[in-house]
Amino acid sequence: MPIKIPDQLPARHVLEAEGVRVMGETDAVRQDIRPLRIGLLNLMPDKISTETQLARLLGATPLQIELTLVRITDHVSRNTSADHMAAFYRPWSEVRNERFDGFIITGAPVERMPFEEVAYWPELRAIFDWTQTHVHRCFTICWAAQAALFHFHGVPKHNLPRKAFGVFEHRNLAPTSPYLRGFSDTFDIPVSRWTEICSSTLAEVQDLQVLADSAETGAGLVDDRAHGALHMFNHLEYDSDTLAGEYHRDGSAQLPAGYFPADDPTREPKNRWRSHAHLLFANWINEIYQTTPFDLVAGLAAEGQAVLA
């Protein structure tokens, strides 16, 4: 099935050129099925690239997806035009009374700041709590994953002496997990962050299960069953050239490890993670489909009452 996104969203033309089926509003209402409602709180600076990357993965699954783009209510993006934000994004204050089958929260370029000093931290905390009563399954990425673990479990993040930057091999620690169904024993993931969550700290929290980790960069994927959340510290959603763009943009002397052929930044990097990115998102969507209530409003209301009890 295709993904339903606004007709004029820039991601639409990119995805159609790649062969991803994209559905318009008129076609969507003709199908006698309930699409899965997925919200995307996009905190990344380059919002258009992130929209495209995540819509590509959601649109490749066999179910109809209705994607809603969400923003922090009073935060003004400095890297994306106001026209784009006004046309395609809804403030969280406007959607907070709605229910979603799934909700994705991306990373943000504030990872070295204490959580409490981030301008929108109070609203993000409210959003995390809201996911427990209005969202069936949540997926957090990079800084958002660290923020969620701090909010729900008090797990601190730690600054790294050197940026974790490159493509690193990860071990599949939970092959029976529904999220890692079909995964290889090892798989590569792009990493780009200045902070980490210590694996030893995660091991002390009863409700958390580390699904994948790397010898070089630590925990990479965590299942938070008590809060219906999957936390990914790294970036399986990245395009082939995303790390190259970061490297050239920052003018850094630090080459992304294991990324450029022969560590030569003039050579085109090879994408070694695309298949596992599609598999992870397909597994997440399938887990939602298998467990979400058909009557989303009534079902999530009951789930919310159970959480609050």
Side-chain angles (χ1 to χ4, degrees):
M1 287 292 179
I3 183 169
K4 177 186 165 190
I5 57 177
D7 290 344
Q8 301 305 315
L9 190 72
R12 182 184 189 93
H13 306 294
V14 176
L15 299 179
E16 287 177 333
E18 295 175 355
V20 177
R21 292 191 62 198
V22 182
M23 176 174 280
E25 181 70 30
T26 303
D27 293 331
V29 298
R30 293 175 182 166
Q31 295 198 351
D32 189 23
I33 60 174
R34 183 179 78 77
L36 292 182
R37 295 201 71 209
I38 305 296
L40 169 59
L41 178 63
N42 188 357
L43 304 177
M44 292 290 278
D46 186 351
K47 298 195 186 306
I48 294 176
S49 292
T50 303
E51 295 158 12
T52 305
Q53 291 166 357
L54 293 171
R56 175 187 295 119
L57 296 169
L58 295 170
T61 61
L63 302 170
Q64 186 187 132
I65 304 295
E66 179 182 305
L67 183 63
T68 300
L69 300 177
V70 183
R71 62 174 174 85
I72 294 292
T73 302
D74 296 319
H75 182 69
V76 177
S77 174
R78 294 179 295 177
N79 298 280
T80 305
S81 74
D83 288 344
H84 182 87
M85 298 302 294
F88 302 116
Y89 280 77
R90 299 172 64 191
W92 177 69
S93 59
E94 185 180 297
V95 305
R96 64 184 303 170
N97 292 323
E98 299 180 15
R99 264 71 174 183
F100 292 87
D101 298 285
F103 201 79
I104 301 171
I105 307 176
T106 73
V110 294
E111 56 182 323
R112 286 193 279 187
M113 295 175 60
F115 292 118
E116 298 87 349
E117 293 182 12
V118 175
Y120 48 79
W121 179 241
E123 181 162 329
L124 185 59
R125 292 189 66 194
I127 292 171
F128 284 141
D129 289 338
W130 167 84
T131 65
Q132 299 305 287
T133 55
H134 288 70
V135 173
H136 183 59
R137 290 287 186 270
C138 192
F139 192 154
T140 62
I141 299 173
C142 200
W143 177 80
Q146 297 179 348
L149 288 169
F150 180 74
H151 173 72
F152 286 123
H153 300 282
V155 175
K157 62 181 173 70
H158 301 278
N159 290 328
L160 294 168
R162 177 180 170 89
K163 185 178 183 179
F165 189 40
V167 179
F168 295 92
E169 183 179 86
H170 284 65
R171 298 183 301 162
N172 182 347
L173 301 178
T176 60
S177 166
Y179 299 117
L180 294 184
R181 187 178 293 112
F183 267 64
S184 307
D185 293 339
T186 61
F187 50 96
D188 294 328
I189 304 181
V191 179
S192 179
R193 50 182 164 81
W194 283 97
T195 55
E196 69 173 357
I197 300 289
C198 292
S199 296
S200 57
T201 305
L202 294 172
E204 296 172 357
V205 181
Q206 183 176 359
D207 293 329
L208 301 178
Q209 180 185 15
V210 178
L211 303 181
D213 72 356
S214 164
E216 295 87 358
T217 61
L221 192 66
V222 173
D223 185 3
D224 185 352
R225 282 163 288 187
H227 296 93
L230 182 65
H231 306 301
M232 180 172 67
F233 300 130
N234 304 319
H235 292 283
L236 267 173
E237 82 281 4
Y238 269 6
D239 290 326
S240 303
D241 60 356
T242 303
L243 291 181
E246 292 183 11
Y247 169 74
H248 294 298
R249 178 198 66 201
D250 298 339
S252 173
Q254 182 182 348
L255 279 170
Y259 178 62
F260 291 115
D263 286 336
D264 181 352
T266 67
R267 298 179 62 181
E268 182 178 353
K270 303 298 183 184
N271 191 311
R272 309 193 305 273
W273 60 90
R274 183 183 296 115
S275 59
H276 284 98
H278 280 277
L279 188 54
L280 179 64
F281 277 80
N283 285 343
W284 182 66
I285 289 294
N286 183 61
E287 183 66 9
I288 291 174
Y289 177 72
Q290 297 294 335
T291 58
T292 196
F294 183 83
D295 185 337
L296 192 57
V297 174
L300 286 182
E303 287 184 12
Q305 292 171 1
V307 169
L308 296 174

